[in-house]
Amino acid sequence: GNSVTQMEGPVTLSEEAFLTINCTYTATGYPSLFWYVQYPGEGLQLLLKATKADDKGSNKGFEATYRKETTSFHLEKGSVQVSDSAVYFCALVGTGRRALTFGSGTRLQVQP
Amino acid sequence: GAGVSQSPSNKVTEKGKDVELRCDPISGHTALYWYRQSLGQGLEFLIYFQGNSAPDKSGLPSDRFSAERTGGSVSTLTIQRTQQEDSAVYLCASSLTQGGRGEKLFFGSGTQLSVL
């Protein structure tokens, strides 16, 4: 079946540091890949997505590239801010499926 | 409101009791999902509704769990004879069309269920 593996957190960084949150997946066919973010006290919201190999999703300074050869979709940001502190979830939806499969989430804490 | 609304936000119950969790999706959204988030775990898919089609119940963990969606809008997730392992945050999400590839899901803030 489909599965998503994320690096465990929490990840603690200083403001303006470079961020990488690793995500790898297992799926048949050609899944679509997503990053969702959950800010404190808020519901999950879509951060970015990529629907085919080599696509790059980007939003709010975050980027992730769909790498089929390594089955990865790592999240990166060049300079994090305190306001980026949140829990980040990697997810996929497989071919012919409707429901997303989520990773366990990675908590990011950015210190001023 | 403009977003997905869930109620109650917190529910504490005793083992063996039944509970009902409610979800109001965004108006006009035809697809509705229930997920469960246990401590330290990812989001676990429970059930999916799409329009008038038969729901996808493949994620329900046992027959104590059931859900319905009335009039294509509000949904209720019912857990009968609750157990301590049912303690989790129950999340509802909706999407404009049939969900899946590329479709953006809108999540509610969840119901924190604690079974004592």
Side-chain angles (χ1 to χ4, degrees), chain A residues 7-13 18-21 86 106-110:
Chain A
M7 61 188 293
E8 291 196 17
V11 174
T12 303
L13 295 174
F18 184 86
L19 169 72
T20 300
I21 299 178
T106 303
R107 181 174 299 278
L108 170 65
Q109 298 173 332
V110 180

Side-chain angles (χ1 to χ4, degrees), chain A residues 30-32 34 36 38 42-44 46 49 51 89 93-95 97-100 102-104, chain B residues 33 35 37 40-43 45 48 56 58 91 98-105 107-109:
Chain A
Y30 298 89
S32 290
F34 305 82
Y36 276 79
Q38 186 173 31
E42 299 183 15
L44 273 81
L46 178 66
K49 67 181 182 184
T51 57
F89 292 88
V93 60
T95 306
R97 292 279 297 168
R98 295 287 179 259
L100 272 71
F102 285 86
S104 57
Chain B
Y33 304 76
Y35 282 85
Q37 184 178 15
Q41 303 295 314
L43 277 71
F45 166 72
Y48 161 71
D56 177 355
S58 61
L91 294 170
Q98 60 182 352
R101 304 185 67 78
E103 183 76 34
K104 179 178 180 178
L105 268 62
F107 281 84
S109 297

